[in-house]
Amino acid sequence: MKISDYLEPEIVATHYNGANFVGSETCMECHPDIYKSHLETAHYNTSAIADNEHVKGSFTEGYNELNLTGVRFKMTELNNHLYQYAKAKFGDTLEVRSKLDLDIGSGVKGQSYLTWNGNELYQLQPSYFQPTGSWVNSPSFPEYAVRREVDDTCLKCHVTFAKNTNPKGNSNTYDREKLLLGIDCQRCHGPLEKHVVYHRNTPNSKSAAYVDDYSTYSRQQRLDACAVCHSGLQAQQIKGNPFSFLAGDTLSLYSKNFRSYNLPLELDVHGNQMGLLSKSACFVNTPKMDCMTCHDPHKAERGNADHFNNKCLTCHNVNSINTDNLDVKHTVDQNCISCHMPLSPSKVMKLSVEGQEDEIPVYIRTHLIGIYD
Ligand code: HEC
Ligand code: HEC
Ligand code: HEC
Ligand code: HEC
Ligand code: HEC
Ligand code: HEC
Ligand code: HEC
């Protein structure tokens, strides 16, 4: 590497506000621990090039088909590329081949696949559903679609940045070179070319320049940085386009949900952790609680019950919970969330599975912390 390439790193995309993104691997040299642990997170793994390493759905004979009323799909590997073959059952007998180019979803619950046609991006009809380990019709797809256009309203929550040819973000034509996959550092910290250039040129400076310090944000700003993707679809764009909002901004000035819900039970557990948490007694009765009270955004913590129990116990003392009125005897080694944040079925994310009459909902941990029976 030439010294000038180091001091002036390559610009991989430019945000609508004019600031430049650099490759996320540039963060590694100065923030190695955060960089490494971030690679394990669902955020980092939520979109990628669709190859054998990332695609979770099966291409093995016998497990590689999806049979719907109007169309049959077969998933096939050819010369290290992955393809879907679609054949309509009625009328025309033409077989349509589409390549799996990108995957969306870390695969903990499932994965969807996107295909390029020139610079146009489409979502393919079959998705992978982890609970059954099989191919299913993608949520809200009709019986026969083969593929469907994808625009910023889908990509905004699963990639770091995408450059749509339409300034409003509602076409499916992209600058393919400017698609930053995964939810990376600069999705939550903003485009940081200036920060990297400054610190590479000023190695002795130990205080951060050209980057926001989250501890200077208000509670609402801290919440909004997560709520942009975790408070419903936010499909009604008020200002700019779906990628305009950056951490530090006020989300309500950029977008909102088409419907506002007043009752917590109307909120869906899928993708609305913010809405549910904000209706919980813990949130309402504490001045500072935000997502980072329980989550370290740089670490994969799913399944670490001790970690989350300790978070509850920083505010709740089991001895003072246990009053004579309680039926349940509380102890410190109980898994608090199994009763107070139960896994709950989504009303909107449901999948039809071959051989089963009813649609199967995806189960998601509710953030309405409360007393359930
Ligand atoms: C050449 C070194 C260098 C590079 C490269 C670098 N940083 Fe930093 N960064 C620093 C230094 C020095 C600080 C201040 C000390 C600290 O917080 O670690 C800092 C601080 C930060 C902070 C904390 C700001 C605050 O005040 O709380 C964030 C966030 C950050 N960097 C993000 C990034 C990201 C994301 C990248 C990659 C795009 C990156 N940095 C690349 C040197 C670097
Ligand atoms: C750009 C959109 C986006 C932003 C911003 C975002 N998230 Fe996420 N988050 C997602 C998506 C998408 C997933 C699901 C990823 C998957 O499994 O494919 C996710 C998953 C998670 C998970 C579960 C996965 C795990 O590793 O445990 C947690 C916890 C989480 N986000 C917390 C946060 C917090 C806290 C913030 C704010 C600091 C935040 N997110 C900001 C989109 C986002
Ligand atoms: C999902 C959003 C998200 C992603 C992705 C993310 N960060 Fe952060 N980062 C945050 C938040 C929020 C804070 C503030 C944490 C707090 O105040 O509790 C933070 C704090 C920091 C800090 C300063 C405090 C500390 O924890 O040392 C640095 C440095 C940093 N991030 C670097 C990075 C780097 C480098 C990456 C990519 C490898 C990255 N971040 C990815 C949300 C994110
Ligand atoms: C408003 C933000 C948002 C939008 C828009 C969005 N998602 Fe998601 N998606 C999420 C979040 C958050 C999760 C994980 C947590 C949850 O379900 O609450 C998720 C989970 C997923 C998962 C499961 C990942 C896993 O293994 O857990 C898939 C697959 C997925 N989304 C695909 C898509 C596709 C395809 C689109 C566009 C058609 C889309 N999403 C649009 C926020 C969003
Ligand atoms: C930042 C402090 C804080 C944290 C962390 C916290 N809580 Fe709370 N929680 C409160 C406060 C304050 C209340 C309201 C007063 C009360 O009932 O004690 C509350 C109320 C509750 C209630 C009563 C709910 C109701 O509707 O009556 C339950 C149950 C609860 N919390 C469980 C939990 C669990 C489980 C965790 C961990 C996942 C947790 N809390 C984390 C502060 C917190
Ligand atoms: C009181 C603690 C607490 C707070 C505050 C909190 N979470 Fe969580 N969150 C949890 C626990 C516990 C889990 C379940 C972890 C597991 O599965 O092991 C979880 C899981 C998640 C998941 C994965 C859900 C799934 O089933 O796939 C997402 C996404 C998430 N949190 C986002 C957020 C966001 C965004 C915020 C802020 C609006 C937030 N959380 C605030 C405790 C909390
Ligand atoms: C087996 C299920 C279960 C587990 C596990 C559990 N709780 Fe509870 N908790 C309850 C029920 C049920 C209530 C309602 C009170 C009752 O009638 O017993 C309750 C009540 C509470 C309350 C409200 C007390 C009040 O004064 O109204 C808090 C706070 C709480 N639990 C916190 C926790 C914490 C923290 C943990 C983990 C150490 C935990 N719980 C583990 C079932 C459970």
Side-chain angles (χ1 to χ4, degrees), residues 69 132 143 350-361:
T69 320
T132 55
E143 272 292 310
K350 290 197 211 157
L351 295 141
S352 28
V353 174
E354 265 182 86
Q356 297 201 28
E357 205 151 302
D358 296 327
E359 287 185 313
I360 301 184

Side-chain angles (χ1 to χ4, degrees), residues 264-265 269 276-277 279-283 289 294 308-309 311-313 316-318 321-322 326-344 364-373:
L265 290 176
V269 286
L276 292 162
L277 182 69
K279 300 234 182 324
S280 307
C282 311
F283 183 90
M289 179 183 265
C294 301
F308 289 109
N309 275 354
K311 297 291 179 181
C312 312
L313 295 170
H316 294 288
N317 180 333
V318 286
I321 299 172
N322 289 328
L326 290 188
D327 313 331
V328 172
K329 190 90 189 121
H330 284 78
T331 58
V332 283
D333 53 5
Q334 275 167 335
N335 187 5
C336 316
I337 65 171
S338 61
C339 295
H340 294 300
M341 295 179 72
L343 275 173
S344 312
I364 297 164
R365 185 76 54 192
T366 183
H367 278 61
L368 185 65
I369 306 171
I371 293 162
Y372 297 82
D373 36 52

Side-chain angles (χ1 to χ4, degrees), residues 14-296:
T14 302
H15 190 260
Y16 298 98
N17 71 4
N20 294 322
F21 292 95
V22 290
S24 70
E25 62 290 345
T26 57
C27 317
M28 184 170 49
E29 69 193 80
C30 303
H31 305 290
D33 295 343
I34 294 178
Y35 183 85
K36 266 185 245 143
S37 66
H38 176 61
L39 298 181
E40 308 294 319
T41 61
H43 283 146
Y44 176 79
N45 293 300
T46 199
S47 51
I49 298 286
D51 55 19
N52 277 320
E53 183 194 340
H54 296 106
V55 172
K56 309 275 184 203
S58 177
F59 285 71
T60 309
E61 205 60 41
Y63 300 93
N64 61 342
E65 286 186 32
L66 174 64
N67 195 358
L68 301 174
T69 320
V71 58
R72 182 191 294 273
F73 292 96
K74 194 162 179 159
M75 315 304 285
T76 306
E77 189 179 343
L78 202 73
N79 302 329
N80 284 324
H81 293 301
L82 304 173
Y83 295 96
Q84 131 187 329
Y85 286 82
K87 196 163 181 184
K89 290 187 179 167
F90 315 106
D92 65 317
T93 48
L94 193 73
E95 200 168 39
V96 185
R97 185 176 90 159
S98 319
K99 183 161 170 278
L100 279 69
D101 287 309
L102 306 173
D103 56 58
I104 301 281
S106 65
V108 177
K109 300 200 171 69
Q111 237 176 16
S112 273
Y113 304 96
L114 309 185
T115 191
W116 289 110
N117 180 9
N119 293 327
E120 291 169 9
L121 197 55
Y122 296 88
Q123 181 185 8
L124 295 173
Q125 184 156 11
S127 281
Y128 166 73
F129 189 38
Q130 199 279 338
T132 55
S134 60
W135 294 98
V136 294
N137 197 10
S138 296
S140 77
F141 259 68
E143 272 292 310
Y144 181 43
V146 180
R147 64 180 200 185
R148 175 168 83 174
E149 291 180 12
V150 156
D151 63 12
D152 288 15
T153 53
C154 173
L155 289 186
K156 66 173 181 177
C157 299
H158 287 279
V159 305
T160 294
F161 186 70
K163 183 85 188 197
N164 202 301
T165 53
N166 179 319
K168 287 254 167 261
N170 49 20
S171 90
N172 72 326
T173 314
Y174 287 93
D175 183 343
R176 287 176 65 162
E177 303 302 314
K178 306 246 151 67
L179 180 60
L180 309 184
L181 295 172
I183 295 175
D184 225 310
C185 320
Q186 290 166 98
R187 181 68 174 142
C188 299
H189 293 292
L192 287 183
E193 182 211 12
K194 282 189 171 169
H195 172 70
V196 170
V197 169
Y198 173 85
H199 284 288
R200 284 187 171 177
N201 284 281
T202 325
N204 293 330
S205 168
K206 296 282 171 264
S207 57
Y210 300 110
V211 60
D212 281 2
D213 177 349
Y214 265 85
S215 67
T216 64
Y217 286 170
S218 67
R219 184 195 202 187
Q220 194 58 50
Q221 283 172 309
R222 285 171 65 88
L223 287 165
D224 282 355
C226 311
V228 61
C229 302
H230 288 285
S231 65
L233 283 177
Q234 296 282 319
Q236 192 175 346
Q237 203 64 38
I238 298 164
K239 185 170 142 187
N241 65 38
F243 284 97
S244 299
F245 170 91
L246 291 173
D249 291 334
T250 300
L251 184 60
S252 60
L253 301 177
Y254 286 80
S255 64
K256 61 178 189 176
N257 288 317
F258 276 111
R259 255 193 83 184
S260 56
Y261 298 90
N262 298 318
L263 296 171
L265 290 176
E266 291 177 343
L267 294 166
D268 196 68
V269 286
H270 165 55
N272 206 342
Q273 288 79 18
M274 178 67 230
L276 292 162
L277 182 69
S278 66
K279 300 234 182 324
S280 307
C282 311
F283 183 90
V284 174
N285 294 298
T286 50
K288 277 220 175 113
M289 179 183 265
D290 59 36
C291 313
M292 280 66 84
T293 306
C294 301
H295 296 289
D296 179 338

